[in-house]
């Protein structure tokens, strides 16, 4: 039974929320990785992309661990004559969860950096546990205002494209441009052969929270939103998210409702280095 769907966040994260599939659950990132040179404002895309960040999250339902999510921008490259960034999220399931079994899905996005909203040029999913590559592909053709959708290398649908959009993964970066402000955002998303939106409301309220990635509690900003798209583990609907108050607004946690019920996505390891 398949339950891992195209990545949505907050989904981040959520699930988002989004290398080796054996992730160290007890790894400790150094608190010095968090910098506070301009904590009064969120980062720009240019500032975010100066760093190679690697995030590892655990996904929990009550006391049960559903799986892990690992997200990073692998590198920059060229696609159709444009400089793009290759964003990859790897989701692995806990094989002990009933009706889930062993799953290992890779979600990939070629995105274009802009001064305002980054946008997707190409999205594809690889189902490694079933040895299916490019099991789902979304090609964004802005010149002709079309999104071409293929499954297992066979064209299945074409949708209209009227604005800069995403496959869902970009929420991981786009949301950070607003974290810690009183500004809302609306992200167009194409998933499940449909167009939907992720809407979010942000806050300047600060809360101290604990994460396995850090030895001490960290200060976070809170946001909440609603997604009318289907994401991993059946994610859809209202969600909550927390971002660290550092210069890069590191995504630390998300709560969302999935097919099992309410789940939590929490940061267990964080690394960064200059590109």
């Amino acid at each position: 039974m398949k339950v891992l769907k195209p990545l949505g966040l907050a989904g981040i994260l959520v699930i988002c929320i989004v290398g080796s599939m054996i992730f160290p659950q007890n790894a400790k990132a150094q608190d010095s990785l968090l910098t506070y040179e301009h904590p009064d404002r969120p980062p720009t895309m240019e500032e975010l992309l100066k760093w190679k960040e690697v995030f590892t999250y655990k996904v929990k339902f009550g006391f049960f661990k559903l799986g892990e999510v690992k997200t990073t921008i692998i590198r920059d490259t060229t696609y159709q004559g444009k400089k793009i960034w290759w964003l990859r999220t790897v989701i692995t399931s806990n094989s002990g969860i009933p009706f889930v079994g062993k799953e290992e899905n890779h979600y990939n996005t070629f995105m274009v950096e802009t001064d305002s909203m980054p946008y997707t040029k190409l999205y594809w999913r690889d189902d490694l546990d079933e040895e299916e590559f490019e099991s789902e592909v979304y090609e964004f053709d802005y010149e002709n205002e079309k999104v071409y959708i293929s499954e297992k290398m066979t064209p299945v649908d074409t949708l209209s494209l009227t604005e800069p959009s995403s496959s869902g993964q970009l929420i991981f970066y786009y949301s950070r441009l607003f974290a810690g402000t009183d500004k809302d955002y609306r992200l167009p998303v194409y998933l499940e052969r449909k167009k939907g939106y992720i809407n979010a409301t942000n806050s300047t309220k600060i809360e101290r929270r604990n994460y396995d990635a850090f030895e001490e509690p960290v200060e976070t900003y809170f946001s909440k939103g609603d997604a009318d798209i289907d994401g991993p583990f059946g994610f859809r609907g209202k969600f909550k998210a927390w971002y660290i108050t550092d210069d890069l607004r590191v995504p630390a946690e998300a709560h969302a409702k999935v097919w099992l019920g309410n789940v939590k996505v929490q940061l267990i390891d964080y690394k960064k280095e200059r590109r």
Side-chain angles (χ1 to χ4, degrees):
M1 175 178 177
K2 278 286 184 181
V3 296
L4 297 186
K5 299 181 179 181
L7 182 66
L9 183 212
I12 243 167
L13 270 170
V14 172
I15 283 187
C16 231
I17 283 144
V18 285
S20 170
M21 300 323 307
I22 303 176
F23 302 137
Q25 297 185 37
N26 298 318
K28 296 290 184 179
Q30 296 300 312
D31 290 6
S32 60
L33 287 176
L34 303 177
T35 56
Y36 297 87
E37 295 179 2
H38 55 79
D40 56 315
R41 64 169 178 84
T44 63
M45 278 300 298
E46 182 181 8
E47 289 170 334
L48 288 175
L49 294 174
K50 286 181 179 178
W51 297 93
K52 180 178 181 180
E53 300 174 287
V54 181
F55 308 83
T56 305
Y57 299 89
K58 62 182 177 183
V59 183
K60 295 190 67 178
F61 169 65
F63 295 105
F64 298 99
K65 180 179 177 181
L66 294 182
E68 291 187 350
V69 178
K70 189 171 186 176
T71 295
T72 189
I73 285 186
I74 299 175
R75 60 184 172 86
D76 61 317
T77 184
T78 301
Y79 176 71
Q80 295 182 342
K82 285 185 174 289
K83 177 182 177 180
I84 58 93
W85 294 91
W86 182 1
L87 170 64
R88 171 177 288 171
T89 297
V90 175
I91 298 182
T92 54
S93 68
N94 179 354
S95 59
I97 299 294
F99 307 112
V100 176
K102 179 178 174 55
E103 296 276 359
E104 180 181 327
N105 289 359
H106 294 200
Y107 304 85
N108 301 273
T109 291
F110 281 177
M111 73 173 184
V112 176
E113 172 193 358
T114 70
D115 293 333
S116 54
M117 176 182 164
Y119 61 90
T120 296
K121 288 287 290 180
L122 182 70
Y123 160 82
W124 75 97
R125 186 182 83 244
D126 298 325
D127 297 339
L128 267 68
D129 55 288
E130 297 185 4
E131 298 184 350
E132 292 183 357
F133 297 90
E134 298 185 6
S135 57
E136 180 180 50
V137 178
Y138 284 61
E139 182 181 356
F140 293 73
D141 183 348
Y142 292 93
E143 182 177 348
N144 294 304
E145 299 184 341
K146 300 291 184 182
V147 178
Y148 305 106
I149 306 171
S150 300
E151 293 181 358
K152 299 179 181 178
M153 301 184 182
T154 300
V156 294
D157 208 348
T158 300
L159 303 179
S160 62
L161 176 64
T162 58
E163 59 187 322
S165 299
S166 164
S167 59
Q169 272 184 289
L170 290 196
I171 186 70
F172 194 85
Y173 279 85
Y174 190 60
S175 62
R176 298 162 71 181
L177 307 181
F178 300 89
T181 73
D182 56 2
K183 298 179 180 179
D184 303 339
Y185 67 82
R186 179 176 173 87
L187 180 65
V189 175
Y190 285 81
L191 285 176
E192 295 291 295
R193 302 193 200 179
K194 298 178 182 179
K195 179 181 180 179
Y197 289 89
I198 297 176
N199 299 285
T201 300
N202 298 286
S203 169
T204 58
K205 179 181 177 181
I206 294 177
E207 178 183 353
R208 293 182 66 84
R209 300 179 72 85
N210 291 288
Y211 299 103
D212 292 348
F214 306 101
E215 295 181 356
E216 301 293 335
V218 293
E219 293 186 339
T220 63
Y221 288 120
F222 173 74
S223 70
K224 62 181 179 179
D226 185 81
D228 61 357
I229 49 88
D230 293 316
F233 297 100
F235 162 71
R236 185 183 180 90
K238 298 185 183 300
F239 63 85
K240 300 177 182 179
W242 288 261
Y243 302 82
I244 299 176
T245 62
D246 71 317
D247 293 341
L248 301 183
R249 300 296 195 261
V250 171
E253 183 175 358
H255 296 180
K257 187 174 182 179
V258 300
W259 69 282
L260 282 175
N262 296 315
V263 299
K264 295 181 179 180
V265 182
Q266 296 174 319
L267 187 67
I268 60 174
D269 191 49
Y270 174 62
K271 297 181 177 68
K272 76 174 183 182
E273 60 182 15
R274 284 278 184 179
R275 291 192 183 276

